[in-house]
Coordinates of all heavy atoms in Angstrom, one line a residue:
M1 N 0.9 -1.2 0.0 CA 0.0 0.0 0.0 C 1.0 1.2 0.1 O 2.0 1.2 0.6 CB -0.9 0.0 1.2 CG -1.9 -1.1 1.4 SD -3.0 -1.3 0.0 CE -4.2 -0.1 0.5
P2 N 0.4 2.3 -0.6 CA 1.3 3.5 -0.6 C 1.3 4.1 0.8 O 0.4 4.0 1.6 CB 0.4 4.4 -1.5 CG -0.8 3.8 -1.9 CD -0.7 2.4 -1.3
Y3 N 2.3 4.9 1.0 CA 2.5 5.5 2.4 C 1.4 6.3 2.9 O 1.1 6.5 4.0 CB 3.9 6.3 2.4 CG 4.2 6.8 3.8 CD1 4.5 5.9 4.8 CD2 4.1 8.2 4.1 CE1 4.9 6.3 6.0 CE2 4.5 8.5 5.4 CZ 4.9 7.6 6.3 OH 5.2 8.2 7.6
G4 N 0.7 7.0 1.9 CA -0.4 8.0 2.1 C -1.5 7.3 2.9 O -2.3 7.8 3.7
Y5 N -1.7 5.9 2.5 CA -2.8 5.2 3.1 C -2.5 4.9 4.6 O -3.4 5.0 5.4 CB -2.8 3.7 2.4 CG -3.6 2.6 3.2 CD1 -5.0 2.7 3.1 CD2 -2.9 1.7 3.8 CE1 -5.8 1.8 3.7 CE2 -3.7 0.7 4.5 CZ -5.1 0.8 4.5 OH -5.8 -0.1 5.2
Y6 N -1.3 4.6 4.9 CA -0.9 4.4 6.3 C -1.1 5.7 7.2 O -1.4 5.6 8.2 CB 0.5 3.8 6.4 CG 0.6 2.4 5.8 CD1 1.2 2.1 4.7 CD2 0.0 1.4 6.4 CE1 1.3 1.0 4.1 CE2 0.1 0.1 5.9 CZ 0.6 -0.1 4.7 OH 0.7 -1.4 4.2
Q7 N -0.7 6.9 6.5 CA -0.9 8.1 7.2 C -2.4 8.5 7.4 O -2.8 8.8 8.4 CB -0.4 9.2 6.3 CG 1.3 9.3 6.3 CD 1.6 10.4 5.4 OE1 1.2 10.7 4.4 NE2 2.7 11.2 5.9
L8 N -3.3 8.0 6.5 CA -4.6 8.1 6.7 C -5.2 7.3 7.7 O -6.0 7.8 8.6 CB -5.4 8.0 5.4 CG -6.9 8.0 5.4 CD1 -7.3 9.4 5.7 CD2 -7.5 7.4 4.1
V9 N -4.8 6.0 7.7 CA -5.1 5.2 8.8 C -4.6 5.6 10.2 O -5.5 5.5 11.0 CB -4.5 3.7 8.6 CG1 -4.7 2.9 9.8 CG2 -5.3 3.1 7.3
R10 N -3.6 6.2 10.3 CA -3.0 6.7 11.6 C -3.9 7.9 12.0 O -4.2 8.1 13.2 CB -1.6 7.1 11.5 CG -0.8 5.9 11.5 CD 0.8 6.0 11.2 NE 1.3 7.3 11.8 CZ 2.5 7.7 11.6 NH1 3.3 7.1 10.8 NH2 3.0 8.8 12.3
H11 N -4.3 8.8 11.1 CA -5.0 10.0 11.5 C -6.4 9.5 11.9 O -7.0 10.0 13.0 CB -5.2 10.9 10.2 CG -4.0 11.8 10.1 ND1 -3.9 13.0 10.8 CD2 -3.0 11.8 9.3 CE1 -2.9 13.6 10.5 NE2 -2.2 12.9 9.5
V12 N -7.0 8.7 11.1 CA -8.4 8.1 11.5 C -8.4 7.3 12.8 O -9.2 7.5 13.7 CB -9.1 7.3 10.4 CG1 -10.3 6.5 10.8 CG2 -9.2 8.1 9.2
S13 N -7.4 6.5 13.0 CA -7.3 5.7 14.2 C -7.1 6.6 15.5 O -7.7 6.4 16.5 CB -6.2 4.7 14.1 OG -6.2 3.8 13.1
F14 N -6.2 7.6 15.3 CA -6.0 8.6 16.4 C -7.3 9.2 16.7 O -7.7 9.3 18.0 CB -4.9 9.6 16.0 CG -4.7 10.7 17.0 CD1 -4.1 10.5 18.2 CD2 -5.2 12.0 16.8 CE1 -3.9 11.4 19.1 CE2 -5.0 12.9 17.8 CZ -4.4 12.7 18.9
T15 N -8.0 9.7 15.7 CA -9.3 10.5 16.0 C -10.3 9.5 16.7 O -10.9 9.9 17.8 CB -9.8 11.1 14.8 OG1 -8.9 11.9 14.2 CG2 -11.1 11.8 15.0
V16 N -10.4 8.3 16.3 CA -11.5 7.4 16.8 C -11.1 7.1 18.2 O -11.9 7.0 19.1 CB -11.6 6.2 15.9 CG1 -12.3 5.0 16.6 CG2 -12.2 6.6 14.6
F17 N -9.8 6.7 18.5 CA -9.3 6.4 19.8 C -9.5 7.5 20.8 O -9.8 7.3 22.0 CB -7.9 5.7 19.9 CG -7.7 4.4 19.2 CD1 -6.9 4.1 18.2 CD2 -8.7 3.5 19.4 CE1 -6.7 3.0 17.7 CE2 -8.7 2.2 18.8 CZ -7.7 1.9 17.9
V18 N -9.2 8.7 20.4 CA -9.4 9.8 21.3 C -11.0 9.9 21.6 O -11.3 10.2 22.8 CB -9.0 11.2 20.8 CG1 -9.5 12.3 21.5 CG2 -7.4 11.2 20.7
Y19 N -11.8 9.9 20.7 CA -13.2 9.8 20.8 C -13.7 8.7 21.7 O -14.5 9.0 22.7 CB -14.0 9.8 19.5 CG -15.5 9.7 19.7 CD1 -16.3 10.8 20.1 CD2 -16.1 8.5 19.5 CE1 -17.7 10.7 20.3 CE2 -17.5 8.3 19.7 CZ -18.2 9.4 20.1 OH -19.5 9.3 20.3
L20 N -13.1 7.6 21.6 CA -13.6 6.5 22.4 C -13.0 6.7 23.9 O -13.9 6.3 24.7 CB -13.1 5.1 21.9 CG -13.7 4.7 20.6 CD1 -13.0 3.5 20.0 CD2 -15.3 4.3 20.8
A21 N -11.9 7.2 24.0 CA -11.4 7.5 25.4 C -12.4 8.5 26.1 O -12.7 8.4 27.2 CB -10.1 8.0 25.3
Y22 N -12.7 9.5 25.3 CA -13.6 10.5 25.8 C -14.9 10.0 26.2 O -15.5 10.2 27.3 CB -13.7 11.7 24.8 CG -14.8 12.8 25.3 CD1 -14.5 13.6 26.3 CD2 -16.0 12.7 24.7 CE1 -15.4 14.5 26.7 CE2 -17.0 13.7 25.1 CZ -16.6 14.5 26.1 OH -17.5 15.6 26.5
S23 N -15.4 9.0 25.3 CA -16.6 8.4 25.6 C -16.7 7.5 26.9 O -17.6 7.5 27.7 CB -17.3 7.7 24.4 OG -17.5 8.5 23.3
A24 N -15.6 6.9 26.9 CA -15.3 5.9 28.2 C -15.3 6.7 29.4 O -15.9 6.5 30.4 CB -14.1 5.0 28.0
Y25 N -14.6 7.9 29.3 CA -14.5 8.7 30.5 C -15.9 9.2 30.9 O -16.3 9.3 32.2 CB -13.6 9.9 30.3 CG -13.6 10.8 31.5 CD1 -12.8 10.5 32.6 CD2 -14.3 12.0 31.3 CE1 -12.9 11.5 33.8 CE2 -14.1 12.9 32.3 CZ -13.6 12.6 33.5 OH -13.5 13.5 34.6
K26 N -16.6 9.9 29.9 CA -18.0 10.5 30.1 C -19.0 9.4 30.5 O -19.7 9.8 31.4 CB -18.4 11.1 28.8 CG -19.5 12.0 29.0 CD -19.7 12.9 27.8 CE -20.9 13.8 28.1 NZ -20.8 15.2 27.6
E27 N -18.9 8.2 30.1 CA -19.8 7.2 30.5 C -19.6 6.8 31.9 O -20.6 6.5 32.7 CB -19.5 5.9 29.7 CG -20.5 4.8 29.9 CD -20.3 3.6 28.9 OE1 -20.3 3.9 27.7 OE2 -20.1 2.5 29.5
N28 N -18.4 6.7 32.5 CA -18.1 6.3 33.9 C -17.8 7.5 34.8 O -17.7 7.3 36.0 CB -17.0 5.3 33.9 CG -17.4 4.1 33.1 OD1 -18.6 3.6 33.2 ND2 -16.5 3.5 32.3
N29 N -17.5 8.7 34.2 CA -17.0 9.8 35.1 C -15.9 9.4 35.9 O -15.7 9.8 37.0 CB -18.2 10.3 35.9 CG -19.2 11.1 35.1 OD1 -18.9 11.7 34.1 ND2 -20.5 11.1 35.5
D30 N -15.1 8.7 35.3 CA -13.9 8.1 36.1 C -12.8 7.7 35.0 O -13.1 7.3 33.9 CB -14.2 7.1 37.0 CG -13.1 6.7 38.0 OD1 -12.2 7.6 38.2 OD2 -13.2 5.6 38.7
F31 N -11.5 7.5 35.5 CA -10.5 7.1 34.6 C -10.4 5.5 34.7 O -9.6 5.0 35.6 CB -9.1 7.7 34.9 CG -9.2 9.2 34.6 CD1 -9.1 10.1 35.8 CD2 -9.1 9.7 33.4 CE1 -9.1 11.4 35.5 CE2 -9.1 11.1 33.2 CZ -9.2 11.9 34.2
T32 N -11.3 4.8 33.9 CA -11.2 3.3 34.1 C -10.2 2.7 33.2 O -9.5 3.5 32.4 CB -12.6 2.9 33.6 OG1 -12.8 3.3 32.3 CG2 -13.8 3.3 34.5
A33 N -10.1 1.6 33.3 CA -9.0 0.7 32.4 C -9.4 1.0 31.0 O -8.3 1.1 30.1 CB -9.0 -0.7 32.9
V34 N -10.5 0.9 30.6 CA -11.0 1.1 29.2 C -10.6 2.5 28.6 O -10.0 2.7 27.6 CB -12.4 0.8 29.0 CG1 -12.9 1.2 27.6 CG2 -12.8 -0.5 29.3
F35 N -10.6 3.5 29.5 CA -10.2 4.8 29.1 C -8.7 4.8 28.9 O -8.2 5.4 27.8 CB -10.5 5.9 30.3 CG -9.8 7.2 30.2 CD1 -10.3 8.1 29.3 CD2 -8.6 7.4 30.9 CE1 -9.7 9.3 29.1 CE2 -8.0 8.7 30.7 CZ -8.5 9.6 29.9
W36 N -8.0 4.2 29.8 CA -6.4 4.3 29.6 C -6.0 3.4 28.4 O -5.0 3.8 27.8 CB -5.8 3.8 31.0 CG -5.9 4.7 32.1 CD1 -6.8 4.6 33.1 CD2 -5.3 5.9 32.1 NE1 -6.5 5.6 33.9 CE2 -5.7 6.7 33.4 CE3 -4.4 6.7 31.4 CZ2 -5.3 7.9 33.8 CZ3 -4.0 7.9 31.8 CH2 -4.4 8.5 32.9
I37 N -6.8 2.4 28.2 CA -6.4 1.5 27.0 C -6.6 2.3 25.7 O -5.8 2.3 24.8 CB -7.2 0.2 26.9 CG1 -6.6 -0.7 28.1 CG2 -7.1 -0.5 25.6 CD1 -7.7 -1.9 28.2
Y38 N -7.8 3.0 25.6 CA -8.1 3.8 24.4 C -7.0 5.0 24.3 O -6.6 5.4 23.3 CB -9.5 4.3 24.5 CG -10.4 3.3 24.1 CD1 -11.6 3.2 24.8 CD2 -10.2 2.5 23.0 CE1 -12.6 2.2 24.5 CE2 -11.1 1.5 22.6 CZ -12.4 1.4 23.3 OH -13.2 0.5 23.0
L39 N -6.7 5.6 25.4 CA -5.7 6.6 25.3 C -4.4 6.1 24.9 O -3.7 6.8 24.1 CB -5.7 7.4 26.8 CG -4.8 8.6 26.9 CD1 -5.4 9.7 26.0 CD2 -4.7 9.1 28.3
F40 N -4.0 5.0 25.4 CA -2.7 4.3 25.0 C -2.7 4.1 23.5 O -1.7 4.5 22.7 CB -2.4 3.2 25.8 CG -1.2 2.3 25.3 CD1 0.0 2.6 25.5 CD2 -1.5 1.2 24.5 CE1 1.2 2.0 25.0 CE2 -0.4 0.4 24.0 CZ 1.0 0.9 24.3
L41 N -3.8 3.6 23.1 CA -4.0 3.3 21.6 C -3.9 4.6 20.7 O -3.4 4.6 19.6 CB -5.3 2.6 21.3 CG -5.2 1.0 21.8 CD1 -6.6 0.4 21.5 CD2 -4.1 0.3 21.1
A42 N -4.4 5.7 21.3 CA -4.5 6.9 20.5 C -3.0 7.4 20.5 O -2.5 7.8 19.4 CB -5.3 8.0 21.2
I43 N -2.2 7.1 21.5 CA -0.8 7.7 21.5 C 0.0 6.7 20.6 O 0.8 7.3 19.9 CB -0.3 7.7 23.0 CG1 -1.0 8.8 23.8 CG2 1.2 7.8 23.0 CD1 -0.7 8.7 25.3
L44 N -0.3 5.6 20.6 CA 0.4 4.6 19.9 C 0.2 4.8 18.3 O 1.1 4.8 17.4 CB -0.1 3.1 20.1 CG 0.7 2.0 19.3 CD1 2.2 2.1 19.8 CD2 0.1 0.7 19.8
F45 N -1.1 5.2 17.9 CA -1.2 5.3 16.6 C -1.4 6.8 16.1 O -1.8 7.2 15.0 CB -2.8 4.8 16.2 CG -2.8 3.3 16.1 CD1 -3.1 2.5 17.1 CD2 -2.6 2.7 14.9 CE1 -3.1 1.2 17.1 CE2 -2.5 1.3 14.8 CZ -2.8 0.6 16.0
Q46 N -0.9 7.8 17.0 CA -1.0 9.2 16.6 C 0.0 9.4 15.4 O 0.9 8.8 15.1 CB -0.3 9.9 17.8 CG 1.1 9.6 18.3 CD 2.2 10.1 17.6 OE1 2.0 11.2 16.9 NE2 3.2 9.4 17.8
P47 N -0.6 10.3 14.6 CA 0.1 10.7 13.3 C 1.2 11.7 13.3 O 1.9 12.0 12.3 CB -1.0 11.2 12.4 CG -1.9 11.9 13.5 CD -1.8 11.0 14.8
F48 N 1.5 12.2 14.5 CA 2.5 13.3 14.6 C 3.9 12.9 14.6 O 4.9 13.6 14.3 CB 2.1 14.2 15.7 CG 0.7 14.6 15.7 CD1 -0.1 14.1 16.8 CD2 0.2 15.4 14.8 CE1 -1.5 14.5 16.8 CE2 -1.2 15.7 14.8 CZ -2.0 15.3 15.8
M49 N 4.2 11.8 15.3 CA 5.6 11.3 15.5 C 5.5 9.7 15.3 O 4.9 9.1 16.0 CB 6.1 11.6 16.9 CG 7.5 11.3 17.0 SD 8.2 11.7 18.7 CE 7.3 10.8 19.8
K50 N 6.2 9.2 14.3 CA 6.1 7.8 13.9 C 6.8 7.0 15.0 O 7.9 7.3 15.5 CB 6.8 7.5 12.6 CG 6.7 6.1 12.2 CD 7.3 5.9 10.8 CE 7.2 4.5 10.3 NZ 7.8 4.3 9.1
I51 N 6.2 5.9 15.5 CA 6.7 5.1 16.5 C 7.2 3.8 15.7 O 6.3 3.1 15.2 CB 5.7 4.7 17.6 CG1 5.3 5.9 18.3 CG2 6.2 3.7 18.6 CD1 4.1 5.7 19.4
A52 N 8.5 3.6 15.6 CA 9.0 2.5 14.8 C 9.0 1.2 15.8 O 9.9 1.2 16.6 CB 10.3 2.8 14.4
L53 N 8.2 0.3 15.4 CA 8.2 -0.9 16.2 C 8.6 -2.2 15.3 O 8.8 -3.2 15.8 CB 6.8 -1.2 16.7 CG 6.3 -0.3 17.7 CD1 4.8 -0.8 18.1 CD2 7.1 -0.2 18.9
G54 N 8.8 -1.9 14.0 CA 9.1 -3.0 13.1 C 7.9 -3.7 12.6 O 6.8 -3.6 13.2
R55 N 7.9 -4.2 11.4 CA 6.7 -4.7 10.8 C 6.1 -5.9 11.5 O 5.0 -5.9 11.7 CB 7.1 -5.3 9.4 CG 6.1 -5.8 8.6 CD 6.4 -6.1 7.2 NE 6.8 -4.9 6.5 CZ 6.5 -4.7 5.3 NH1 5.8 -5.6 4.6 NH2 6.8 -3.5 4.7
T56 N 6.9 -6.8 12.1 CA 6.3 -8.0 12.8 C 5.6 -7.5 14.0 O 4.4 -8.0 14.3 CB 7.5 -8.9 13.2 OG1 8.1 -9.4 12.0 CG2 6.9 -10.1 13.8
I57 N 6.1 -6.7 14.9 CA 5.4 -6.1 16.0 C 4.2 -5.3 15.7 O 3.1 -5.5 16.4 CB 6.4 -5.3 16.9 CG1 7.5 -6.2 17.4 CG2 5.6 -4.8 18.1 CD1 8.6 -5.5 18.2
W58 N 4.3 -4.5 14.6 CA 3.0 -3.8 14.2 C 2.0 -4.7 13.7 O 0.8 -4.5 13.9 CB 3.4 -2.8 13.1 CG 3.8 -1.4 13.7 CD1 5.0 -0.8 13.5 CD2 3.0 -0.6 14.3 NE1 5.0 0.4 14.1 CE2 3.8 0.6 14.7 CE3 1.7 -0.6 14.8 CZ2 3.3 1.7 15.4 CZ3 1.3 0.5 15.6 CH2 2.0 1.6 15.9
N59 N 2.3 -5.8 13.0 CA 1.3 -6.8 12.7 C 0.6 -7.4 13.9 O -0.6 -7.5 13.9 CB 1.9 -7.9 11.9 CG 2.2 -7.4 10.4 OD1 1.7 -6.4 10.0 ND2 3.1 -8.1 9.8
I60 N 1.4 -7.7 14.9 CA 0.9 -8.2 16.1 C 0.0 -7.2 16.8 O -1.2 -7.5 17.3 CB 1.9 -8.7 17.1 CG1 2.7 -9.9 16.5 CG2 1.4 -9.0 18.4 CD1 4.0 -10.3 17.1
V61 N 0.5 -6.1 17.0 CA -0.3 -4.9 17.6 C -1.6 -4.7 16.8 O -2.8 -4.6 17.3 CB 0.5 -3.6 17.6 CG1 -0.4 -2.5 17.9 CG2 1.5 -3.8 18.5
D62 N -1.7 -4.7 15.4 CA -2.8 -4.5 14.7 C -3.9 -5.6 14.9 O -5.0 -5.3 14.9 CB -2.5 -4.4 13.2 CG -1.7 -3.1 12.7 OD1 -1.8 -2.1 13.5 OD2 -1.1 -3.1 11.7
V63 N -3.3 -6.8 14.9 CA -4.3 -7.9 15.2 C -4.9 -7.9 16.7 O -6.2 -8.1 16.7 CB -3.6 -9.3 14.9 CG1 -4.5 -10.4 15.3 CG2 -3.3 -9.4 13.5
A64 N -4.1 -7.6 17.6 CA -4.5 -7.4 19.0 C -5.5 -6.3 19.1 O -6.6 -6.5 19.8 CB -3.3 -7.3 19.9
V65 N -5.3 -5.2 18.5 CA -6.2 -4.1 18.5 C -7.5 -4.4 17.8 O -8.6 -4.1 18.3 CB -5.6 -2.8 18.0 CG1 -6.6 -1.7 17.8 CG2 -4.5 -2.3 18.8
A66 N -7.5 -5.0 16.8 CA -8.6 -5.5 16.0 C -9.5 -6.4 16.9 O -10.8 -6.2 16.9 CB -8.3 -6.1 14.8
I67 N -8.9 -7.4 17.5 CA -9.6 -8.3 18.5 C -10.1 -7.5 19.5 O -11.3 -7.6 20.0 CB -8.6 -9.4 18.9 CG1 -8.3 -10.3 17.7 CG2 -9.3 -10.2 20.0 CD1 -7.2 -11.3 18.1
W68 N -9.5 -6.6 20.2 CA -9.9 -5.8 21.3 C -11.2 -5.0 20.9 O -12.1 -5.0 21.6 CB -8.8 -4.8 21.8 CG -9.3 -3.8 22.6 CD1 -9.5 -2.5 22.4 CD2 -9.7 -3.8 24.0 NE1 -10.0 -1.7 23.4 CE2 -10.1 -2.6 24.4 CE3 -9.8 -4.8 24.9 CZ2 -10.6 -2.3 25.7 CZ3 -10.1 -4.5 26.3 CH2 -10.6 -3.3 26.6
L69 N -11.1 -4.3 19.7 CA -12.3 -3.6 19.2 C -13.4 -4.5 19.0 O -14.6 -4.0 19.3 CB -11.9 -2.8 18.0 CG -10.9 -1.6 18.2 CD1 -10.5 -1.0 16.9 CD2 -11.5 -0.6 19.2
I70 N -13.3 -5.6 18.5 CA -14.4 -6.5 18.1 C -14.9 -7.0 19.5 O -16.2 -7.0 19.6 CB -13.9 -7.7 17.2 CG1 -13.6 -7.2 15.8 CG2 -15.0 -8.8 17.1 CD1 -12.9 -8.3 15.0
V71 N -14.1 -7.4 20.4 CA -14.7 -7.9 21.6 C -15.4 -6.8 22.3 O -16.6 -7.0 22.9 CB -13.5 -8.3 22.6 CG1 -14.1 -8.5 24.0 CG2 -13.0 -9.7 22.0
N72 N -14.9 -5.5 22.4 CA -15.6 -4.4 23.0 C -16.9 -4.1 22.4 O -17.9 -3.7 23.0 CB -14.6 -3.1 23.0 CG -14.2 -2.8 24.5 OD1 -14.6 -3.4 25.3 ND2 -13.6 -1.8 24.5
A73 N -16.9 -4.1 21.0 CA -18.1 -3.8 20.3 C -19.2 -4.8 20.5 O -20.4 -4.5 20.8 CB -17.9 -3.7 18.8
T74 N -18.8 -6.1 20.5 CA -19.7 -7.2 20.9 C -20.3 -7.0 22.4 O -21.5 -7.2 22.6 CB -19.0 -8.5 20.7 OG1 -18.5 -8.6 19.4 CG2 -20.0 -9.6 21.0
K75 N -19.4 -6.7 23.2 CA -19.8 -6.5 24.6 C -20.8 -5.3 24.8 O -21.8 -5.4 25.4 CB -18.5 -6.3 25.5 CG -18.8 -6.1 26.9 CD -17.5 -5.9 27.7 CE -17.7 -5.6 29.1 NZ -16.5 -5.4 29.8
K76 N -20.5 -4.2 24.1 CA -21.5 -3.1 24.1 C -22.7 -3.4 23.6 O -23.7 -3.1 24.0 CB -20.8 -1.9 23.4 CG -19.7 -1.2 24.1 CD -20.2 0.0 24.8 CE -19.1 0.7 25.3 NZ -19.5 1.5 26.5
R77 N -22.7 -4.2 22.5 CA -24.1 -4.6 21.8 C -24.9 -5.5 22.8 O -26.1 -5.3 22.7 CB -23.8 -5.3 20.4 CG -24.9 -5.6 19.7 CD -24.7 -6.1 18.5 NE -24.3 -5.0 17.6 CZ -24.3 -5.0 16.3 NH1 -24.3 -6.1 15.7 NH2 -24.0 -4.0 15.5
T78 N -24.3 -6.4 23.4 CA -25.1 -7.2 24.2 C -25.5 -6.6 25.6 O -26.6 -6.9 26.0 CB -24.2 -8.5 24.7 OG1 -23.1 -8.0 25.3 CG2 -23.8 -9.4 23.5
E79 N -24.8 -5.6 25.9 CA -25.2 -4.7 27.1 C -26.5 -3.9 26.7 O -27.3 -3.5 27.6 CB -24.1 -3.8 27.7 CG -23.1 -4.5 28.3 CD -21.9 -3.6 28.7 OE1 -21.9 -2.6 28.4 OE2 -20.9 -4.1 29.3
S80 N -26.6 -3.5 25.4 CA -27.6 -2.5 25.1 C -29.0 -3.2 24.9 O -29.1 -4.3 24.7 CB -27.3 -1.9 23.8 OG -26.2 -1.1 23.9

């Protein structure tokens, strides 16, 4: 994929994770573990300074984050 694609993904990911962290804080009015996880992910995927982890580690991080998001979305859906 072109480098511009990865920049776009980092911008969108950062924005979404900041929003999810804010939503988690607002929902509980406290700094819960979910808030800190989303904040960490926002910092990890931030587009301003590249964090070089290597391709293999980034692949593991991407899969772990995808699983985390799917589990969280499923959990939210069953709670509603």
Side-chain angles (χ1 to χ4, degrees):
M1 300 298 282
Y3 185 69
Y5 167 77
Y6 295 106
Q7 287 180 318
L8 177 65
V9 168
R10 286 172 41 190
H11 279 280
V12 171
S13 299
F14 174 74
T15 304
V16 168
F17 288 135
V18 167
Y19 172 76
L20 290 172
Y22 174 74
S23 295
Y25 174 77
K26 192 164 181 146
E27 183 177 305
N28 298 320
N29 287 328
D30 195 12
F31 296 108
T32 60
V34 175
F35 167 81
W36 289 110
I37 291 170
Y38 284 136
L39 190 62
F40 172 75
L41 291 174
I43 292 168
L44 184 63
F45 284 93
Q46 54 83 21
F48 311 113
M49 185 177 66
K50 185 176 178 180
I51 298 175
L53 297 178
R55 181 175 292 221
T56 304
I57 295 175
W58 270 115
N59 287 340
I60 294 168
V61 167
D62 289 339
V63 169
V65 169
I67 291 170
W68 165 259
L69 290 174
I70 291 169
V71 167
N72 245 6
T74 305
K75 183 178 173 184
K76 285 266 187 203
R77 181 171 282 191
T78 58
E79 287 176 359
S80 297

